[in-house]
């Protein structure tokens, strides 16, 4: 289903361009603006991206384990609440949705780390030669 042209222009204007490319399996640190009365502060939420939704109202779900309890938070890409998103590390996954991590604990919930930066450099060198 396509959007009305005016709605598409409005959505394009509201798109954020300062966020990095995030994929399922990435460990991210999300800086969230929290407003308490008159004051505003920034709080970090660090965890693994377990799912992504694309489109004009795209979002990503981040999961972490806090004091033995699993906590998940959904962040819309174009939200003004997001201050900054940092990719801490990238992991190799073979699925788009990592909901199976909810049932795993401890070492069983680990993912294999991969360095995407060096892979990108290798691909760039191959293209240039």
């Amino acid at each position: 289903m396509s959007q009305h042209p005016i709605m598409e222009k409005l959505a394009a204007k509201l798109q954020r361009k300062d966020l990095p490319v995030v994929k399922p399996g990435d460990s991210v640190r999300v800086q969230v603006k929290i407003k308490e009365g008159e004051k505003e502060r920034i709080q970090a939420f660090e965890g693994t991206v377990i799912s992504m939704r694309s489109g004009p109202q795209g979002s990503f779900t981040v999961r972490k384990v806090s004091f033995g309890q699993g906590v998940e938070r959904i962040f819309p890409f174009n939200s003004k609440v997001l201050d900054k998103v940092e990719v801490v590390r990238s992991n190799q996954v073979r699925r788009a949705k990592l909901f199976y991590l909810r049932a795993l604990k401890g070492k069983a919930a680990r993912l294999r780390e991969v360095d995407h930066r060096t892979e990108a450099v290798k691909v760039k060198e191959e293209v240039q030669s």
Side-chain angles (χ1 to χ4, degrees):
M1 185 171 102
S2 64
Q3 286 186 325
H4 192 273
I6 295 173
M7 293 299 290
E8 284 181 5
K9 286 182 184 178
L10 182 64
K13 190 188 290 189
L14 296 174
Q15 291 287 337
R16 289 184 63 168
K17 312 248 188 309
D18 61 334
L19 298 178
V21 176
V22 180
K23 293 182 275 190
D26 288 353
S27 294
V28 294
R29 184 177 300 122
V30 182
Q31 306 285 342
V32 184
K33 293 178 190 172
I34 295 182
K35 192 168 185 176
E36 296 172 334
E38 299 289 318
K39 296 181 182 178
E40 191 173 285
R41 65 184 177 88
I42 294 176
Q43 185 177 33
F45 189 89
E46 188 171 342
T48 305
V49 177
I50 62 168
S51 73
M52 304 275 298
R53 287 189 59 200
S54 59
Q57 275 97 32
S59 62
F60 59 103
T61 305
V62 180
R63 176 180 174 79
K64 74 174 184 176
V65 178
S66 178
F67 297 100
Q69 190 72 31
V71 180
E72 291 183 8
R73 213 162 155 191
I74 300 169
F75 297 103
F77 280 117
N78 299 318
S79 174
K80 294 181 180 179
V81 174
L82 291 182
D83 184 51
K84 186 166 58 169
V85 178
E86 303 170 52
V87 177
V88 178
R89 78 177 65 86
S90 296
N91 297 304
Q92 180 184 359
V93 293
R94 298 172 71 178
R95 297 175 183 224
K97 310 284 187 196
L98 305 178
F99 297 136
Y100 68 91
L101 291 177
R102 293 172 176 164
L104 301 178
K105 294 180 183 175
K107 287 187 177 182
R110 288 182 298 181
L111 298 171
R112 192 175 341 155
E113 189 171 346
V114 113
D115 193 8
H116 287 295
R117 289 171 287 177
T118 56
E119 287 180 9
V121 170
K122 288 179 188 175
V123 170
K124 217 181 231 185
E125 290 172 356
E126 290 174 5
V127 170
Q128 289 177 351
S129 56

